[in-house]
């Protein structure tokens, strides 16, 4: 049913038009990209999750980690500790991510990783390197909690 225009009811009103042609999914992706740009902890939490859930290989993080953190990832990743258990029951996702900055150029971050009814803790340290890029310097993974 159309609404009428004006008090005299002179005809149907045109349906409302969107001024932004992007779809809601594109809007969400743009917001996520902006958040990751402003807060590197989100960028790293997502990528560490993909690596530790077996969705990406360890070498995918090679340019984004310092040697000690890469060794930690190489030790953790083969068991895919963040994969869904049982398989197919809930894709793991970053529920929350926060940070503490003990000094300029260093971020100590933590993320809560949810998969089904499991909740895991992921802690990592980021350092702002001389080339002005953030790199992961350490990774720790906490136990499961239902």
């Amino acid at each position: 049913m159309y609404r009428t225009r004006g008090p005299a009811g002179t005809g149907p009103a045109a349906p409302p038009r969107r001024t932004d042609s992007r779809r809601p999914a594109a809007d969400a992706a743009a917001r996520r990209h902006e958040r990751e740009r402003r807060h590197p902890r989100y960028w790293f939490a997502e990528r560490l999750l993909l690596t530790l859930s077996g969705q990406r290989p360890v070498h995918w993080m090679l340019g984004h980690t310092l040697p000690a953190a890469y060794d930690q990832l190489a030790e953790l990743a083969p068991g895919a500790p963040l994969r869904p258990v049982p398989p197919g029951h809930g894709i793991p996702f970053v529920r929350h991510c926060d940070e503490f900055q003990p000094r300029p150029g260093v971020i100590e971050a933590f993320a809560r990783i949810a998969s089904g009814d499991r909740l895991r803790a992921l802690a990592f340290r980021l350092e702002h390197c001389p080339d002005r890029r953030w790199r992961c310097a350490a990774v720790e993974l906490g136990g499961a909690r239902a």
Side-chain angles (χ1 to χ4, degrees):
M1 171 148 248
Y2 289 106
R3 294 179 297 135
T4 57
R5 274 191 233 183
T10 57
R17 290 179 38 187
R18 287 185 63 140
T19 56
D20 186 353
S21 62
R22 292 185 299 178
R23 297 182 315 271
D27 292 341
R31 284 191 305 273
R32 186 177 66 246
H33 178 71
E34 179 62 20
R35 179 185 69 187
E36 289 174 352
R37 186 187 67 75
R38 289 190 358 230
H39 303 288
R41 68 182 184 258
Y42 285 104
W43 191 90
F44 277 92
E46 290 289 338
R47 275 130 190 96
L48 289 169
L49 168 61
L50 291 172
T51 302
L52 294 172
S53 65
Q55 297 177 64
R56 295 283 190 265
V58 177
H59 68 266
W60 188 59
M61 291 295 293
L62 190 57
H64 306 292
T65 56
L66 296 176
Y70 185 80
D71 291 344
Q72 290 170 327
L73 277 175
E75 190 175 307
L76 289 169
L82 295 179
R83 72 184 174 284
V85 176
H89 287 257
I91 296 172
F93 66 95
V94 176
R95 178 181 280 181
H96 179 76
C97 189
D98 211 346
E99 70 180 51
F100 169 72
Q101 292 189 353
R103 65 177 186 268
V106 174
I107 294 173
E108 293 180 354
F110 70 88
R112 291 185 194 111
I113 309 297
S115 178
D117 61 350
R118 286 188 330 157
L119 190 61
R120 300 283 306 262
L122 174 66
F124 52 99
R125 181 182 177 97
L126 304 177
E127 295 182 5
H128 205 226
C129 295
D131 65 357
R132 301 179 52 107
R133 292 179 57 194
W134 288 98
R135 289 206 170 73
C136 184
V139 179
E140 281 188 37
L141 191 60
R145 190 178 87 190

